Amino acid sequence: MAVGTELLLGQIADTNSAWLGEHLATNGVASHFHQAVGDNHDRIVLALRTALARSDGVITCGGLGPTQDDITRDAIAEVMGVELVRNQAIVDLIAGFFEARGRAMTANNARQADVPQGAAVIPQVVGTAPGLICPIGNKVIYAVPGVPYEMTEMFERAILPDLRARMAEAGEEGAIASRVLRTWGASESGLAEALQDRIDALDAPGDVTLAFLASGIEGIKVRITAKARTLEDVSSLLDKEETEVRRAIDDRLGDIVFGVDDESMEVAVAQRLIARGLSFGVAESLTGGLIASRLVNVPGASAWFRGGVVAYDARVKFAVLGVPEGPVVTEAAAAAMAEGAARVTGADVGLGITGVAGPEEQEGVAAGTVFVGLSLPGQPAQTRELRVPGDRERVRQYGAISALDLLRRTLDASTA
C-alpha cells in the first residue's frame, strides 16, 4: 500500500510497488493487491482494514516522516487498537543523525519515534524514520519509508526474513518467477486464441499461469509465471512452458517472438548481425532517426552499426543516397535508400524507410503507409509496404520497430 497524496495526483510515480511486487514474487510471496491512498487518516485506516481483510500481510510505504501529513503510524495504531508510545532511544538516534551533520534536530522529528504498542521497530541505517513490524493477530502490517533506497534496505534486512519465518511456520515456503516473451505483429486477441489450449491445460494445476501485456509500440508480451518450492524448480517449469508457448505461437502465428524479458527489438537485430558478422547502415525519412537512436541503445553497437542518414528532404535522398529523381514515397525509393545507406556508410546491410506519417496524404499515398527497403550482400534490394495505425507519432514509432522486425525476419530467412 503506497501512501501519499502526491501519488494520486500523478506528481511522482509509484516505483516502490513495482519493486516490491518483483521481489516478493522472487521469494515466493504472492502479491495479490496493490493500492495507493492519500494522506488522510480515515482513508488510510479504511485501506489498511480492507487490505487485512483480504491478505495475510500488508506492506505500507510512506507517511513515516516528521511532517503533519505523515500519519501512517497513527492509522496503524488505530487499526491495531493501541496507543502510540514515544521511543526515547529512537529520538536520541535521530538527534545524533542531525548532530553528525552539524545541524540541530527540530522538535517535529521526534514524531518519527512514535511506535504503536506491541510493534517492533526496524532501525534506520540510511535515514531518520524507522520502520515498523506490527502484528495483528496472525496477520502483520509492515511500515517502511517511501524513499526507495530506505524502503529496499529495510525490506531486505528486516521484512523479508520475517516473511520467510511466517511462511515457514505456515508451510508456504516457495519461489515465484516470471519470464516474458516479447512479440511483434499479432494482436492480443490473436495471441490469446493461439494460446487457448495452453491456458486451458494450465488452469487445473495452477503452478504455471499465462498473461498478456499490451505494451503499445513495443508489441504484446506473453508473461509466463511459475511457482514451486525452489527457484531451480521454477526455472524448470518456465523452460518447459516457454517451449510449449513458442511452439503454439509458431504453429498459429509464425515467427513473431523476438525476445525474452528485457530483450528489445534492436537487441534481437544486433544479435543476428553479430552472429553473421555483418555491419549495418540505415537511411531514414519517415522515422527521422528513430531507428538509429534505438540501435545505439544497444551496448557495443559501434562494433556493427556503421551509421545513418536522415534524408528527410527529397534533395538529400537524390544527392546523398543516389535515389533516382522522381517520387520519394515509393517502394522503389525505399530500395534505393537501402542501397544508398549501405554504400554511404560502408555497411554490409542497408535499410531504407520512407512513407507518410500524416495527418494528410502525400504524393497520393495515404497516411500510415510505410515503405521499407532492405539491401543484403549479394542480393537485389527487397521491399515491403506496411500499413500502420495511429497518429503521426505512432506511425513513426510503429514504422521504426516494424522495419527492424522485417530486418530480423529477413536475416533469419537468409540463413534458414
Side-chain angles (χ1 to χ4, degrees), residues 317 321-340 352 354 371-374 381-385:
K317 296 180 178 71
L321 297 173
V323 176
E325 296 275 349
V328 292
V329 188
T330 63
E331 289 189 65
M337 290 174 67
E339 293 171 337
T354 184
F371 298 108
V372 181
L374 288 175
Q382 54 181 288
T383 60
R384 182 73 57 84
E385 177 180 346

Side-chain angles (χ1 to χ4, degrees), residues 3-4 155 158 314:
V3 179
F155 175 84

Side-chain angles (χ1 to χ4, degrees), residues 284-359:
E284 303 181 63
S285 179
L286 167 85
T287 48
L290 287 176
I291 294 175
S293 178
R294 292 185 67 129
L295 293 173
V296 297
N297 279 333
V298 181
S302 58
W304 49 268
F305 181 49
R306 293 292 177 266
V309 177
V310 178
Y312 212 70
D313 189 280
R315 289 167 294 185
V316 178
K317 296 180 178 71
F318 302 148
V320 177
L321 297 173
V323 176
E325 296 275 349
V328 292
V329 188
T330 63
E331 289 189 65
M337 290 174 67
E339 293 171 337
R343 183 179 63 257
V344 168
T345 64
D348 301 311
V349 178
L351 184 149
I353 184 168
T354 184
V356 182

Side-chain angles (χ1 to χ4, degrees), residues 143-399:
V144 293
V147 179
Y149 66 85
E150 296 180 26
M151 178 275 295
T152 58
E153 194 281 330
M154 286 190 184
F155 175 84
E156 292 171 341
R157 172 167 53 91
I159 294 178
L160 187 54
D162 190 75
L163 276 173
R164 283 176 172 155
R166 291 173 181 272
M167 291 167 61
E169 185 177 351
E172 295 180 359
E173 289 181 289
I176 302 174
S178 295
R179 185 173 301 167
V180 175
L181 302 184
R182 306 180 66 162
T183 74
W184 181 256
S187 65
E188 186 174 356
S189 58
L191 271 169
E193 183 176 2
L195 292 172
Q196 188 61 56
D197 289 345
R198 291 306 311 151
I199 295 171
D200 292 342
L202 296 173
D203 273 348
D207 52 355
V208 181
T209 60
L210 297 181
F212 303 97
L213 310 174
S215 303
I217 61 170
E218 298 303 319
I220 307 295
K221 298 174 182 176
V222 181
R223 187 186 65 211
I224 309 168
T225 302
K227 182 174 183 178
R229 293 287 296 176
T230 67
L231 281 173
E232 291 76 12
D233 291 338
V234 168
S235 181
S236 178
L237 287 172
L238 290 174
D239 289 343
K240 179 181 177 182
E241 189 56 34
E242 179 183 348
T243 299
E244 295 293 339
V245 168
R246 284 180 177 272
R247 181 183 297 117
I249 291 176
D250 286 347
D251 289 346
R252 298 286 296 274
L253 300 173
D255 181 24
I256 65 169
V257 177
F258 65 82
V260 177
D261 292 335
D262 295 330
E263 294 174 356
S264 62
M265 184 65 78
E266 50 268 30
V267 168
V269 168
Q271 290 171 343
R272 286 156 175 80
L273 289 169
I274 292 170
R276 293 159 180 77
L278 298 173
S279 56
F280 178 73
V282 62
E284 303 181 63
S285 179
L286 167 85
T287 48
L290 287 176
I291 294 175
S293 178
R294 292 185 67 129
L295 293 173
V296 297
N297 279 333
V298 181
S302 58
W304 49 268
F305 181 49
R306 293 292 177 266
V309 177
V310 178
Y312 212 70
D313 189 280
R315 289 167 294 185
V316 178
K317 296 180 178 71
F318 302 148
V320 177
L321 297 173
V323 176
E325 296 275 349
V328 292
V329 188
T330 63
E331 289 189 65
M337 290 174 67
E339 293 171 337
R343 183 179 63 257
V344 168
T345 64
D348 301 311
V349 178
L351 184 149
I353 184 168
T354 184
V356 182
E360 305 297 330
E361 67 175 35
Q362 180 182 341
E363 297 182 8
V365 180
T369 304
V370 178
F371 298 108
V372 181
L374 288 175
S375 174
L376 272 68
Q379 301 179 25
Q382 54 181 288
T383 60
R384 182 73 57 84
E385 177 180 346
L386 308 172
R387 295 299 302 271
V388 296
D391 57 16
R392 184 176 179 85
E393 178 62 16
R394 287 184 177 274
V395 168
R396 295 175 65 244
Q397 295 284 357
Y398 282 137

Side-chain angles (χ1 to χ4, degrees), residues 43-63:
R43 287 194 283 272
I44 296 174
V45 169
L46 175 61
L48 284 169
R49 286 175 172 158
T50 301
L52 287 169
R54 62 192 184 187
S55 302
D56 298 307
V58 184
I59 301 176
T60 70
C61 298

